[in-house]
Amino acid sequence: MKPALRLALIAGTAALALGGAGVTAALLDLPQDARPVQDPQDPPATPPAEPAPAGDPAPERPVPVTPPGGADSIAAAVAAAQQDDRRAETPAEEDDEAEDAEEEAVVVAAPAEPEGPPGRRQRRRYAIVQAVDKVTAETMRFEVEVNGRPVAFNKTLIFRARACEVSASDERARDAVAYMEISVQPRGGAPVQDVRQLFRGWMFASSPGVSGLQHPVYDAWIVGCRA
């Protein structure tokens, strides 16, 4: 064979080899369609059952088993177990008895009942009132007679006292309470229909901020009672 022809065949074979490799590489670059995985139809093979090991046949009658030592050792073991149970139960019973004794020993003292009827509050004739004018900063403490003539503060605030009492002797907290009626009227005198009531109820000297008169212009509260 001529050298030229041999070279041509070698070149053609090399070209075919290179072309096949390129096609294979191109095919590997393309994604492959996914396929669902099917469950196997044939069930897995079950291993054969192994025969049970041969053993000695069971005796027709029960065979008594005697521990070493005989019946005396059995009786001693039972007695020791009973004694242990008694020792275990004894502390619990003693604790229960101690708790019962403590409960019996505790005596709850009953509250002492007051001797005799409770004392009555003492009534007074005059209620002592303190009032403040927020506009003029005028403040005054004055007396109002129970069921007597009303008292006017700053010519506009009218006070009437219906009751005034002080704490009884058996009460722990000392306090004075008064039932007051407070009204307001315009300055310079006004007819009765123009008088407007602002407060009506009990006032406590111990808590003026709670039971006192709260008004945009005036503040008033009870201070005490006088005979």
Side-chain angles (χ1 to χ4, degrees):
M1 182 178 293
K2 296 180 179 181
L5 182 59
R6 183 179 299 176
L7 292 175
L9 291 175
I10 294 172
T13 305
L16 291 175
L18 292 174
V23 172
T24 304
L27 292 176
L28 292 175
D29 292 340
L30 295 176
Q32 184 182 2
D33 295 337
R35 298 180 182 179
V37 178
Q38 298 179 359
D39 297 332
Q41 297 180 358
D42 298 335
T46 304
E50 297 181 0
D56 298 334
E60 297 180 357
R61 295 182 181 180
V63 178
V65 178
T66 304
D72 295 338
S73 62
I74 297 175
V78 172
Q82 292 178 354
Q83 187 174 2
D84 293 340
D85 294 341
R86 291 174 184 175
R87 291 178 180 176
E89 293 176 358
T90 301
E93 295 177 355
E94 291 179 354
D95 294 341
D96 295 339
E97 293 178 357
E99 291 178 359
D100 296 341
E102 291 179 359
E103 293 178 357
E104 294 177 357
V106 175
V107 178
V108 179
E113 298 181 358
E115 298 180 359
R120 297 183 59 182
R121 291 187 173 181
Q122 300 178 7
R123 293 176 176 253
R124 294 293 185 261
R125 185 177 179 182
Y126 295 94
I128 304 174
V129 181
Q130 185 164 344
V132 178
D133 189 339
K134 300 178 183 179
V135 177
T136 62
E138 182 182 0
T139 179
M140 184 182 297
R141 182 177 294 187
F142 51 91
E143 296 178 351
V144 181
E145 186 179 2
V146 176
N147 294 324
R149 292 185 60 181
V151 177
F153 171 71
N154 207 7
K155 298 182 180 181
T156 56
L157 209 58
I158 311 301
F159 292 85
R160 290 181 174 86
R162 299 305 180 186
C164 194
E165 302 175 352
V166 295
S167 303
S169 58
D170 57 350
E171 292 185 49
R172 295 182 179 179
R174 295 293 179 179
D175 198 3
V177 296
Y179 192 90
M180 304 297 298
E181 294 177 359
I182 306 175
S183 305
V184 65
Q185 65 179 5
R187 292 179 181 272
V192 179
Q193 58 268 20
D194 294 337
V195 177
R196 182 166 53 92
Q197 191 174 64
L198 300 178
F199 181 86
R200 183 178 182 181
W202 289 97
M203 287 186 172
F204 297 82
S206 60
S207 57
V210 177
S211 60
L213 171 67
Q214 297 179 358
H215 186 264
V217 180
Y218 301 102
D219 281 346
W221 60 93
I222 191 71
V223 176
C225 299
R226 188 182 67 83

